[in-house]
């Protein structure tokens, strides 16, 4: 109950309360075990840093002993009114899930224990019920991902049960949650490579995901908000009691199951659409010995070369298209009306729903980003349909003053991917896009201000790349207005590059300019903005920052190395061309 206070959290940690509470998971009294499990699980929901603290204070030892001591042979007594043991199992499994999501060490400890041998019996829906089966499935969904040892154990013990759960006939929220998780575990057990599954299993999973995403989460929240008690004249909220209270509690639980099922479905779709080869294709080759600038679209339409969407298994692609998965995922980016959100946020019993709605929106946007990379543009409404996606994501970024950094990062990623898609289509002969031909300086001022004020490097990087693609799309429709816009964007990116502290964001800015001016028809504009001279000033800055900031994630290292390699060649190439003007 003290979790809302940062000061209380610090006191709990500093006074060693976690170390005192964790052993109580093994207390002889079921009520004490239940209280310990609930409090530790609540602590684990605070965030990844708190999970790290729980690991440091050795919660995993007591948690593993709890499973070994109390769950190996436990069978619930259906006649007992005391549900402590039920709830303790669910709370402990949720705690285990949170720790495993945050810590690879927790996953290792889990793998070294007998827990994965204990879990299979808890997949019996008729014996253990929805809550326990769901908790176990959510944990397995996370634990078997990229974990061959866990996969092998779960596959040997639970493959039949998982397929049975996938084929449940019910389609209420609780059943759809279990079916969706079963599909996710099955996919994760084959390393995320859905194409190696039997076609009938793959089709069943895709159909389940589509059915889960067909539930109207906004309508469910609207209906729930009508039953949530409002504050009285003195600002107090009186929760309903008796039968009315039970009805509200069941409704809240049902909405939570809808949101959990849809988030799981979206994560599964995002994973099966995150084809590494497709990413490589979209990004283009990393280096070349030629002085010519790189043609980043060389694998998008050359004869005998796969398009990004061709890298998905045909059966999966067909299922995603025929079941309108894109539209269903996009609908999850839309929140309920503001008045509904306010009601859900203010009532204590629905605050978790408010939080999950925003998480769902962010995950949906990340999923949209992956789908944009892999679905043919014709199945996304063509160029105009993708443009609408870009504009809608832009409203989330620039018009809501959101403090939700995860939302901003995912929305800017969608804007970038949408323009990438339009660019690839525009590069095909006869498909030049005129969507942006009327774009004026006033239209981009909001975007430039947003980038200028942005404190988060990931978001800043997405936005810089996005306006660079925007300028590139204007190159095919050069006139006085579009030339002014391109020059303004160029000067802006150059200015941002000089101010940039993060070397990989600087590399992104440099790479964006190289892309923009690799077309020969930009020579006059390059001369006008003195591009070669300004890039020549940036080159040693990029090189020095690269030496200073060597500890980078792999994808950022590749970006920096590529920019460092390409920039001198590009300067030499462009200088030679401009000398002939």
């Amino acid at each position: 109950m003290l979790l809302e206070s940062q000061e209380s959290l610090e006191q709990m940690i500093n006074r060693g309360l976690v170390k005192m509470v964790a052993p109580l998971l093994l207390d002889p009294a079921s009520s004490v075990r239940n209280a310990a499990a609930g409090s530790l699980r609540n602590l684990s929901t605070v965030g990844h840093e708190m999970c790290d603290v729980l690991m440091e204070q050795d919660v995993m030892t007591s948690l593993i002993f709890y499973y070994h001591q109390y769950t190996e042979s436990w069978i619930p007594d259906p006649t007992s009114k005391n549900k402590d043991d039920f709830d303790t199992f669910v709370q402990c499994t949720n705690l285990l899930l949170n720790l495993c999501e945050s810590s690879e060490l927790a996953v290792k400890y889990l793998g070294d224990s007998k827990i994965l041998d204990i879990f299979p019996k808890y997949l019996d829906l008729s014996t253990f019920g929805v809550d326990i089966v769901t908790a176990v499935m959510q944990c397995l969904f996370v634990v078997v991902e990229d974990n061959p040892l866990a996969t092998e154990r779960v596959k040997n013990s639970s493959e039949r049960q998982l397929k049975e759960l996938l084929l449940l006939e019910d389609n209420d929220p609780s059943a759809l949650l279990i079916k969706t998780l079963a599909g996710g575990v099955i996919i994760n057990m084959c390393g995320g490579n859905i194409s190696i599954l039997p076609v009938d299993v793959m089709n069943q999973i895709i159909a389940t995901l589509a059915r889960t995403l067909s539930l109207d989460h906004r309508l469910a929240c609207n209906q729930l908000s009508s039953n949530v008690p409002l504050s009285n004249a003195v600002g107090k909220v009186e929760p309903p009691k008796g039968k009315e209270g039970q009805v509200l509690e069941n409704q809240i639980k049902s909405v939570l199951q809808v949101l959990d099922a849809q988030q799981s479905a979206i994560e599964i779709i995002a994973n099966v659409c995150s084809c590494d080869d497709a990413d490589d294709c979209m990004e283009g080759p990393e280096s070349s010995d030629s002085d010519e600038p790189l043609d980043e679209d060389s694998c998008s339409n050359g004869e005998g070369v796969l398009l990004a969407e061709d890298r998905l298994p045909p059966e999966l692609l067909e299922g995603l298209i025929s079941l309108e998965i894109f539209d269903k995922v996009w609908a999850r980016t839309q929140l309920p009306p503001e008045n509904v959100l306010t009601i859900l946020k203010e009532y204590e019993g629905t605050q978790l729903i408010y939080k999950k709605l925003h998480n769902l929106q962010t995950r949906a946007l990340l999923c949209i980003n992956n789908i944009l990379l892999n679905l043919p543009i014709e199945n996304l409404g063509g160029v105009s349909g993708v443009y609408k996606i870009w504009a809608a994501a832009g409203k989330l970024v620039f018009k809501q003053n959101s403090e939700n950094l995860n939302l901003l990062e995912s929305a800017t990623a969608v804007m970038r991917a949408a323009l990438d898609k339009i660019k690839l289509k525009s590069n095909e002969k006869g498909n030049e896009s005129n969507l942006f031909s009327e774009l004026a300086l006033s239209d981009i001022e909001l975007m430039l201000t947003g980038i200028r004020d942005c404190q988060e490097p990931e978001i800043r990087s997405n936005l810089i790349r996005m306006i660079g693609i925007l300028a590139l799309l204007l190159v095919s429709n050069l006139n006085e207005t579009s030339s002014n816009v391109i020059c303004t964007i160029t000067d802006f990116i150059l200015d941002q590059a000089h101010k940039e502290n993060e070397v990989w964001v600087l590399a992104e800015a440099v790479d964006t300019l190289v892309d923009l001016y690799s077309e020969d028809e930009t020579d006059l504009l390059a001369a006008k903005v003195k591009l070669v001279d300004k890039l020549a000033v940036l080159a040693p800055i990029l090189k020095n920052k690269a030496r200073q900031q060597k500890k980078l994630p792999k994808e950022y290292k590749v970006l920096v190395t590529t920019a460092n390699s390409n920039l001198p060649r590009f300067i030499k190439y462009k200088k030679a061309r401009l000398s002939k003007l």
Side-chain angles (χ1 to χ4, degrees):
M1 293 170 69
L2 297 171
L3 294 181
E4 297 299 317
S5 162
Q6 185 62 36
E7 187 180 342
S8 297
L9 283 174
E10 289 172 6
Q11 291 267 9
M12 289 180 203
I13 296 162
N14 293 339
R15 297 190 179 202
L17 271 178
V18 173
K19 282 186 176 177
M20 298 177 195
V21 171
L24 297 177
L25 291 172
L26 308 173
D27 195 89
S30 64
S31 59
V32 175
R33 293 197 300 274
N34 184 241
S39 61
L40 291 171
R41 186 258 181 175
N42 287 349
L43 271 175
S44 72
T45 64
V46 171
H48 292 306
E49 289 182 4
M50 180 55 70
C51 286
D52 291 341
V53 170
L54 293 176
M55 290 298 297
E56 287 166 11
Q57 303 211 4
D58 200 24
V59 164
M60 276 299 286
T61 298
S62 297
L63 188 56
I64 289 168
F65 274 110
Y66 158 76
Y67 282 103
H68 289 181
Q69 188 169 328
Y70 286 103
T71 69
E72 265 194 287
S73 57
W74 176 64
I75 298 290
D77 179 1
T79 62
S80 173
K81 290 184 179 180
N82 187 337
K83 299 297 180 184
D84 279 352
D85 287 335
F86 264 100
D87 188 60
T88 301
F89 186 94
V90 171
Q91 299 288 1
C92 281
T93 306
N94 286 335
L95 168 62
L96 183 62
L97 164 66
N98 294 339
L99 294 175
C100 287
E101 280 189 315
S102 299
S103 167
E104 289 184 12
L105 190 59
V107 175
K108 181 186 180 302
Y109 288 160
L110 169 66
D112 292 340
S113 74
K114 292 192 287 185
I115 294 175
L116 289 177
D117 302 316
I118 294 169
F119 271 175
K121 85 167 193 175
Y122 287 94
L123 296 178
D124 184 343
L125 201 52
S126 60
T127 304
F128 294 99
V130 167
D131 292 345
I132 283 180
V133 172
T134 300
V136 171
M137 294 286 282
Q138 286 173 323
C139 197
L140 290 177
F141 182 48
V142 168
V143 169
V144 299
E145 186 175 8
D146 299 325
N147 188 341
L149 294 175
T151 293
E152 196 58 34
R153 286 170 69 183
V154 174
K155 198 170 186 178
N156 290 337
S157 62
S158 311
E159 192 169 21
R160 179 187 55 80
Q161 290 165 288
L162 289 167
K163 287 181 178 174
E164 286 174 1
L165 292 171
L166 179 64
L167 296 171
L168 286 174
E169 290 185 6
D170 290 343
N171 285 314
D172 60 83
S174 63
L176 281 175
L177 174 55
I178 288 172
K179 288 159 72 171
T180 299
L181 289 167
V185 176
I186 290 168
I187 291 173
N188 284 348
M189 286 198 307
C190 58
N193 185 3
I194 195 170
S195 62
I196 68 175
L197 289 172
V199 173
D200 61 324
V201 176
M202 185 197 301
N203 289 339
Q204 181 65 38
I205 291 173
I206 298 169
T208 297
L209 300 179
R211 203 169 292 118
T212 295
L213 292 172
S214 295
L215 297 174
D216 192 334
H217 72 303
R218 298 175 81 230
L219 177 62
C221 290
N222 292 352
Q223 292 171 339
L224 173 60
S225 68
S226 301
N227 297 328
V228 168
L230 304 176
S231 54
N232 56 25
V234 293
K236 285 192 71 177
V237 177
E238 292 292 337
K241 294 173 183 170
K243 190 176 180 182
E244 190 183 341
Q246 191 59 53
V247 168
L248 178 60
E249 191 177 316
N250 290 341
Q251 194 177 5
I252 290 171
K253 185 175 181 179
S254 178
V255 172
L256 285 169
Q257 288 169 337
V258 168
L259 297 178
D260 283 344
Q262 293 191 341
Q263 180 165 319
S264 298
I266 281 169
E267 287 173 3
I268 293 165
I269 294 164
N271 286 341
V272 297
C273 287
S274 63
C275 168
D276 291 336
D277 291 337
D279 289 345
D280 292 342
C281 181
M282 295 296 284
E283 290 301 323
E286 286 178 14
S287 62
S288 164
D289 294 329
S290 164
D291 286 337
E292 292 276 333
L294 295 176
D295 176 8
E296 291 221 347
D297 304 318
S298 60
C299 66
S300 65
N301 50 17
E303 191 175 329
V305 182
L306 289 175
L307 294 166
E309 53 260 28
D310 293 332
R311 297 176 188 274
L312 287 179
E315 299 87 355
L316 173 60
L317 186 62
E318 183 185 335
L320 293 175
I321 293 168
S322 65
L323 293 169
E324 300 176 334
I325 294 292
F326 179 85
D327 292 338
K328 289 177 169 65
V329 174
W330 181 256
R332 280 12 329 132
T333 68
Q334 310 304 306
L335 293 171
E338 199 60 43
N339 64 314
V340 172
L341 288 173
T342 302
I343 291 169
L344 297 177
K345 185 179 181 181
E346 288 180 353
Y347 181 59
E348 188 178 354
T350 54
Q351 285 170 354
L352 183 57
I353 289 174
Y354 176 84
K355 183 179 177 183
K356 283 182 181 285
L357 279 166
H358 287 85
N359 287 343
L360 182 66
Q361 181 188 37
T362 299
R363 299 294 175 92
L365 285 164
L366 289 171
C367 185
I368 290 292
N369 178 56
N370 286 3
I371 296 176
L372 280 170
L373 294 176
N374 290 287
L375 244 59
I377 196 167
E378 294 75 21
N379 298 107
L380 297 166
V383 168
S384 61
V386 176
Y387 172 78
K388 287 175 185 173
I389 294 164
W390 175 79
K395 287 179 183 176
L396 290 173
V397 175
F398 296 111
K399 292 190 176 178
Q400 289 198 355
N401 298 319
S402 175
E403 294 180 5
N404 184 339
L405 296 179
N406 290 329
L407 172 69
L408 291 177
E409 186 178 346
S410 56
T412 52
V414 167
M415 294 183 78
R416 173 176 172 169
L419 288 188
D420 255 327
K421 200 79 172 177
I422 293 171
K423 181 184 78 170
L424 288 175
K425 190 67 178 176
S426 298
N427 286 345
E428 296 175 14
K429 288 181 181 176
N431 277 316
E432 291 81 6
S433 173
N434 294 314
L435 280 172
F436 301 96
S437 58
E438 301 301 316
L439 198 70
L441 286 174
S442 57
D443 297 319
I444 65 162
E445 196 51 52
L446 187 65
M447 288 185 256
L448 300 186
T449 302
I451 302 170
R452 210 178 276 119
D453 297 340
C454 181
Q455 301 299 311
E456 293 299 312
E458 289 80 8
I459 301 169
R460 204 161 57 241
S461 166
N462 281 335
L463 289 172
I464 288 171
R465 174 63 76 174
M466 189 266 296
I467 61 163
I469 300 169
L470 198 57
L472 186 57
L473 289 167
L474 295 175
V475 169
S476 59
N477 292 294
L478 281 177
N479 53 44
E480 186 179 350
T481 302
S482 62
S483 295
N484 284 339
V485 171
I486 293 170
C487 290
T488 300
I489 288 175
T490 303
D491 286 335
F492 176 82
I493 294 175
L494 285 164
D495 185 49
Q496 285 296 118
H498 277 285
K499 295 175 184 174
E500 184 56 57
N501 293 320
E502 298 289 341
V503 66
W504 66 271
V505 182
L506 171 57
E508 187 81 83
V510 166
D511 199 43
T512 298
L513 291 171
V514 170
D515 282 354
L516 175 55
Y517 285 93
S518 62
E519 302 293 338
D520 292 344
E521 56 262 45
T522 61
D523 287 351
L524 287 173
L525 290 175
K528 184 178 177 182
V529 297
K530 298 183 173 59
L531 180 73
V532 169
D533 292 342
K534 290 176 180 178
L535 285 179
V537 173
L538 266 182
I541 296 173
L542 175 63
K543 197 163 274 186
N544 285 336
K545 282 190 184 293
R547 286 197 197 102
Q548 293 163 7
Q549 300 177 33
K550 289 183 178 178
K551 290 185 178 178
L552 292 170
K554 183 184 175 184
E555 63 270 27
Y556 294 163
K557 272 186 182 173
V558 170
L559 179 62
V560 172
T561 304
T562 304
N564 250 326
S565 170
N566 286 344
L567 185 55
R569 290 203 300 271
F570 175 78
I571 291 171
K572 182 180 175 184
Y573 168 79
K574 206 68 174 176
K575 193 173 185 178
R577 284 197 57 84
L578 296 187
S579 66
K580 298 172 186 175
L581 291 178

